[in-house]
Amino acid sequence: TKKAVAEFVIQIVDITAPNAVTRKVLVKQGDDFDVRDGIVLAVDNVDGDLTKQAYTWWEETSKPIDTTKINNGKDTSYTVKVTIFDKTGNERAVSYTVVVVADTTEELSNAAKSVKTTLSKLTNSSSKTAVTNARSAYDKLSEDDKYSIYDIWLEKLIPLEVKFFTLDVEALITK
């Protein structure tokens, strides 16, 4: 009988591009802006969360934004293009919108004043309905008005939305 021996070398290669989720970014005229601000999630099947990696995992491929220059005192939108890389060199191109909000010294609009008053009344004991209604009113504001009351939105509304989201998730888990 004759025998044959065969040897194989199997090489596993990462050929999957990372995935990314982006978001719209608001930047006040003159404020600093980092391209990574618009990248909510950058994940690779091998490398995991790219935002926590020590290597440079991104490259801006669009023209850098100068937030000090604005279109005749009006909010200006830009498309930011970024390429996300994993350690192997697989890449994914993503884009998102940056709105540079004009720095105006005008008073708040009546709509912004109303929403600001609503937000200022929110407390930790506010109902989920009150929080949902406040979010709805905030979402209807112009980008400029949203930015003008950003601090109170961040201080009052976001923590309560997180609270109710957490309660909803806990309720689902216990079912």
Side-chain angles (χ1 to χ4, degrees):
T1 63
K2 295 183 179 182
K3 291 184 180 180
V5 176
E7 290 185 23
F8 295 94
V9 175
I10 299 174
Q11 183 177 8
I12 299 173
V13 179
D14 176 12
I15 59 170
T16 304
N19 288 309
V21 176
T22 60
R23 68 180 177 92
K24 182 178 184 178
V25 176
L26 297 178
V27 179
K28 187 174 179 182
Q29 180 181 352
D31 282 357
D32 290 335
F33 167 71
D34 187 309
V35 173
R36 293 169 289 180
D37 293 345
I39 302 169
V40 176
L41 182 68
V43 180
D44 183 64
N45 64 327
V46 174
D47 302 332
D49 184 354
L50 297 178
T51 64
K52 296 189 182 345
Q53 297 298 323
Y55 67 93
T56 302
W57 52 269
W58 61 274
E59 178 182 11
E60 181 177 10
T61 56
S62 56
K63 183 179 176 182
I65 296 172
D66 182 351
T67 65
T68 62
K69 295 181 181 175
I70 198 146
N71 184 16
N72 296 324
K74 296 180 182 177
D75 296 354
T76 306
S77 294
Y78 299 93
T79 299
V80 175
K81 297 177 183 177
V82 182
T83 301
I84 310 291
F85 301 93
D86 64 14
K87 285 182 185 173
T88 308
N90 298 310
E91 59 185 61
R92 177 162 320 269
V94 296
S95 63
Y96 59 91
T97 301
V98 171
V99 178
V100 179
V101 179
D103 185 13
T104 59
T105 56
E106 301 172 18
E107 280 198 33
L108 293 177
S109 71
N110 288 336
K113 287 178 187 175
S114 175
V115 173
K116 184 175 182 179
T117 300
T118 300
L119 292 175
S120 67
K121 292 178 181 177
L122 293 175
T123 67
N124 200 37
S125 60
S126 294
S127 70
K128 185 175 181 179
T129 301
V131 171
T132 301
N133 290 342
R135 163 54 76 181
S136 178
Y138 179 82
D139 287 345
K140 291 176 185 174
L141 293 175
S142 69
E143 296 297 322
D144 197 29
D145 281 347
K146 285 179 184 177
Y147 197 82
S148 67
I149 62 171
Y150 175 81
D151 291 342
I152 194 164
W153 167 81
L154 189 62
E155 176 189 338
K156 294 284 194 164
L157 187 59
I158 296 302
L160 291 172
E161 287 182 323
V162 169
K163 169 189 158 186
F164 286 115
F165 175 78
T166 303
L167 291 173
D168 289 346
V169 169
E170 288 173 354
L172 287 172
I173 291 172
T174 59
K175 283 186 177 183

